Amino acid sequence: MRALVRGGPSEAWLSMTEPFTAIICTGEPEGPKSVQNWHLARALADRGHRVELVCDGCRTDLVGMRDGFAVATWPSAVPGRLVDYRFFHRLCQRRRPDAVIGNFQAVNVALPVAALLRVPTRIAWHRSLSTQTPLDHGRLRAVQWIQDRLKALAMARATHVVAVSPAGQRDAIAAYGVPAARCRTVFHTCRPDPCRLLAATPAPDPDWLRIACLGRLAPSKGIDVLLRALRRLRDREPRWPLALDVVGDGAAGPALAALAGDLGIGSLVTWHGHLDQPRAFAVLARAHVMALPIRSDPGPGVVPEGLGLGLPLVVSRIGGMADLLADVAGTVLFTVDDDRELADHLHAILADPAERGRLSTAARQSYLDRFRLEDWVARVVAWLETTVVRRPRPRAPASPHGALP
């Protein structure tokens, strides 16, 4: 069989393996975390595979055929109710997939159902650390224990668990009991080139020294550490025109705004709230440096977005960042929760335009070398084509005249 590969300087026909049928469960269709799965579905369809993408959000407006693959949506905004299990059971019976790929909350529904129906290849993408949920949601220990056990049971039904960093791989094995032999593959987070969504080339604000931070306003993101570091910078350089742009929303927003006021830096901080990607990247493009004081994350998507915009990154040395960014040019790592060290790194970058320019160039090149979405899609497609086990197909009836000589 041959498949048309599109999108390069010329179109080429490549030989490929026998096509398979896959159901990919993703998150909200407009969410940046889901963009990988939409591109993956399109690439698989281009290569002749039969694909159905199931998205969150009850998005009935998206149901149907798109770019060569089918789109369905869960009955619930976030899958987890009995109606979702029934929906997915019917979908698998109808499609008879060779592979089910679960992401986000859908892992807890899709993997048990796929195992019950003996889908040959069942893949759980592990995108968050076990330490992240307790930080952000503050559940009672008993409730969190139940949640962890449910996730462990779902991941036990996977034939493959795919982590987005070595830290995520270790977490899946230690926290959820995934056998090491089934959790050996790592595909780190990648994103489309953010510069394609900008009307102009990224250029730092000439009038202000801007620090940017993009992420949910939640304890695991450590924005309180950044606010304390900003207070230290203000004390150290009272004449600097400092500004902090925070893009994102979340339950911790009011408490963080109150903390900024208590620290006397409220006037330096702009809380942009949630922005779509073009507007978010327009804000980031005017920054001089991006700070990510994250406490727990296996590999945040904001890393390739910041690198793609040519922003020097100052990132906490924890979780997936310590693994993924240890040798990535354009990034500086600091000790988690250490606002003094964070302030020192920010000061060094903001005080030296030449060094800042060097880091910016290196950051953009790091994105091109290691974090392009196109490369991620190609690697995952190649892995799936050598990994997915096809269901036995019904044999064609024998010729009434016997075998041909």
Side-chain angles (χ1 to χ4, degrees):
M1 179 179 178
R2 300 187 302 165
L4 178 62
V5 179
R6 303 186 182 120
S10 62
E11 293 183 346
W13 287 95
L14 301 178
S15 63
M16 58 171 282
T17 57
E18 179 186 352
F20 55 77
T21 300
I23 297 176
I24 303 174
C25 304
T26 189
E28 296 179 3
E30 282 83 19
K33 293 181 180 180
S34 292
V35 68
Q36 292 176 301
N37 295 318
W38 286 78
H39 281 76
L40 176 60
R42 184 178 300 114
L44 289 171
D46 282 347
R47 290 182 63 79
H49 302 292
R50 297 171 292 273
V51 182
E52 181 136 1
L53 193 73
V54 185
C55 62
D56 292 357
C58 300
R59 292 295 301 273
T60 56
D61 57 306
L62 298 177
V63 172
M65 293 297 298
R66 293 176 178 271
D67 296 327
F69 61 92
V71 177
T73 188
W74 295 98
S76 304
V78 178
R81 299 187 301 153
L82 181 60
V83 66
D84 300 304
Y85 285 88
R86 290 173 174 167
F87 159 80
F88 199 71
H89 189 277
R90 290 194 299 269
L91 180 64
C92 286
Q93 286 185 317
R94 185 170 69 253
R95 296 297 186 192
R96 289 185 53 80
D98 302 297
V100 165
I101 303 173
N103 288 273
F104 314 113
Q105 189 70 20
V107 168
N108 295 341
V109 176
L111 272 294
V113 172
L116 178 67
L117 296 177
R118 298 186 178 182
V119 175
T121 305
R122 305 179 297 276
I123 301 170
W125 229 270
H126 187 42
R127 296 181 179 273
S128 61
L129 297 179
S130 58
T131 55
Q132 191 170 352
T133 302
L135 276 174
D136 290 346
H137 296 288
R139 298 183 179 123
L140 294 174
R141 287 187 179 181
V143 174
Q144 187 60 52
W145 183 87
I146 293 172
Q147 292 287 335
D148 289 343
R149 297 290 70 75
L150 289 174
K151 185 168 184 177
L153 288 171
M155 293 178 76
R157 302 300 185 269
T159 58
H160 303 78
V161 175
V162 178
V164 298
S165 68
Q169 183 182 28
R170 294 190 295 269
D171 184 67
I173 294 169
Y176 299 110
V178 176
R182 285 198 273 124
C183 191
R184 293 183 297 182
T185 304
V186 173
F187 293 110
H188 64 255
T189 300
C190 293
R191 289 286 190 268
D193 190 342
C195 289
R196 295 177 184 173
L197 296 181
L198 295 177
T201 303
D205 190 327
D207 300 320
W208 296 82
L209 292 174
R210 291 193 174 277
I211 304 165
C213 183
L214 172 64
R216 289 183 298 111
L217 304 187
S220 66
K221 302 305 180 184
I223 297 172
D224 56 303
V225 180
L226 178 55
L227 294 175
R228 293 186 175 91
L230 183 61
R231 175 71 258 182
R232 290 184 180 277
L233 277 176
R234 165 55 72 221
D235 292 341
R236 187 169 176 177
E237 300 289 351
R239 296 185 178 181
W240 276 10
L242 290 169
L244 170 61
D245 292 294
V246 180
V247 180
D249 57 9
L256 290 169
L259 175 61
D262 293 342
L263 292 170
I265 56 170
S267 63
L268 305 184
V269 184
T270 300
W271 305 93
H272 293 272
H274 173 76
L275 300 177
D276 59 25
Q277 284 193 322
R279 291 190 297 159
F281 294 157
V283 171
L284 300 184
R286 292 180 59 77
H288 297 77
V289 61
M290 175 177 279
L292 300 174
I294 296 168
R295 292 188 171 102
S296 178
D297 200 306
V302 66
V303 166
E305 291 168 346
L307 292 173
L309 290 168
L311 286 172
L313 302 187
V314 184
V315 188
S316 50
R317 189 186 295 104
I318 196 170
M321 284 72 71
D323 297 314
L324 295 175
L325 302 179
D327 61 344
V328 172
T331 65
V332 179
L333 300 179
F334 74 99
T335 305
V336 64
D337 279 337
D338 190 334
D339 56 274
R340 183 185 299 274
E341 186 180 353
L342 172 57
D344 288 344
H345 287 309
L346 292 173
H347 185 275
I349 293 171
L350 293 173
D352 188 342
E355 175 65 5
R356 191 166 67 241
R358 185 192 69 79
L359 289 171
S360 176
T361 301
R364 175 64 183 173
Q365 191 60 50
S366 292
Y367 168 80
L368 295 173
D369 291 344
R370 297 180 58 170
F371 293 94
R372 293 191 331 133
L373 180 60
E374 298 89 337
D375 298 334
W376 180 91
V377 169
R379 290 194 299 269
V380 175
V381 167
W383 177 70
L384 289 173
E385 290 186 342
T386 59
T387 300
V388 172
V389 177
R390 280 70 170 174
R391 288 179 182 268
R393 302 301 179 194
R395 283 189 169 189
S399 169
H401 305 292
L404 294 174

